[in-house]
Amino acid sequence: MQCPKDKGESLSSIILSGNLAAHQCPVCEGTWVSADDYESWQASLSDRSIEPVPADLDLGYEPSPLDAKGGLCPDCGGYLARARIGLKHPFYVERCVKCGGVWCDRGEWPVLEHLGLHVAVEQLFTSDWQLRSREREYLDRERRATVEKLGDDLAQRVFDLADQLAKHPNGDFGVAYLMRRFEQ
Ligand SMILES: [Zn+2]
Ligand SMILES: [Zn+2]
């Protein structure tokens, strides 16, 4: 089995996350998980739900220079599609469009594991996930802008009020009041 990023380099067997059979390139330290190995590992997990991560989260991880390089599947030669992980330093996870095997450049798997995204990598490639991530990114940006304009204290009170109104059965009356109050 050859490294999709380093021509002619053979991958050797390793174990990820305690019991997931995988392969690693000795040169670039990228990891490959074959679809069968991944699926049987997933079947052993009780919880496979994932949530979008906060945009601009800084885990001190710098993506590998090989992250931008395309590659072909070491198992079937299929094209490796890319899914963006939108952290402060965004990176891309790769997955074979034909067989579903997963490639992570050096350091990406531990980050996915840290974020709890490693349990459902295939979901990262769905349009639903990409949409939810963009929404999360948008909300985080809006929140940061609000803090910048209003200061921590007042911004926090606005967020708390918004939460309370959202939970209250007649919360929309409060929202309508505020909108009318500032209409002119
Ligand atoms: Zn390599
Ligand atoms: Zn493949």
Side-chain angles (χ1 to χ4, degrees):
M1 200 184 282
Q2 307 279 304
C3 176
K5 306 271 172 123
D6 300 297
K7 261 202 164 55
E9 285 299 333
S10 293
L11 305 180
S12 39
S13 294
I14 57 153
I15 299 292
L16 295 175
S17 301
N19 56 357
L20 170 58
H23 304 271
Q24 187 170 45
C25 173
V27 176
C28 70
E29 294 173 52
T31 51
W32 176 253
V33 183
S34 294
D36 288 350
D37 291 333
Y38 191 55
E39 280 161 25
S40 52
W41 177 74
Q42 281 183 309
S44 73
L45 303 172
S46 51
D47 184 9
R48 283 172 49 203
S49 56
I50 58 174
E51 287 302 323
V53 293
D56 279 7
L57 182 65
D58 190 1
L59 297 174
Y61 166 68
E62 298 274 353
S64 158
L66 288 177
D67 192 30
K69 188 177 177 183
L72 297 178
C73 174
D75 279 329
C76 77
Y79 166 71
L80 297 181
R82 293 148 61 82
R84 184 175 186 271
I85 309 296
L87 304 177
K88 189 159 198 291
H89 304 286
F91 65 89
Y92 293 84
V93 183
E94 285 153 273
R95 181 169 183 265
C96 176
V97 294
K98 277 161 81 179
C99 71
V102 174
W103 174 261
C104 285
D105 292 298
R106 172 178 46 78
E108 291 176 1
W109 181 268
V111 172
L112 292 181
E113 192 173 32
H114 179 81
L115 299 172
L117 300 177
H118 63 312
V119 298
V121 170
E122 74 286 353
Q123 279 189 43
L124 305 175
F125 292 79
T126 63
S127 51
D128 178 60
W129 172 267
Q130 293 295 329
L131 184 69
R132 283 172 62 202
S133 298
R134 276 199 297 277
E135 280 170 2
R136 171 82 206 243
E137 241 172 273
Y138 176 78
L139 287 175
D140 287 348
R141 259 208 307 276
E142 197 178 42
R143 233 181 133 88
R144 271 200 309 280
T146 305
V147 170
E148 272 166 30
K149 298 283 184 195
L150 300 183
D152 279 331
D153 191 47
L154 184 54
Q156 194 51 53
R157 280 192 277 163
V158 171
F159 300 147
D160 290 345
L161 179 60
D163 287 344
Q164 286 168 27
L165 289 173
K167 276 185 217 137
H168 196 284
N170 295 322
D172 50 335
F173 282 83
V175 175
Y177 170 79
L178 287 170
M179 286 174 72
R180 268 198 309 279
R181 176 76 172 70
F182 294 101
E183 229 161 32
Q184 56 277 32

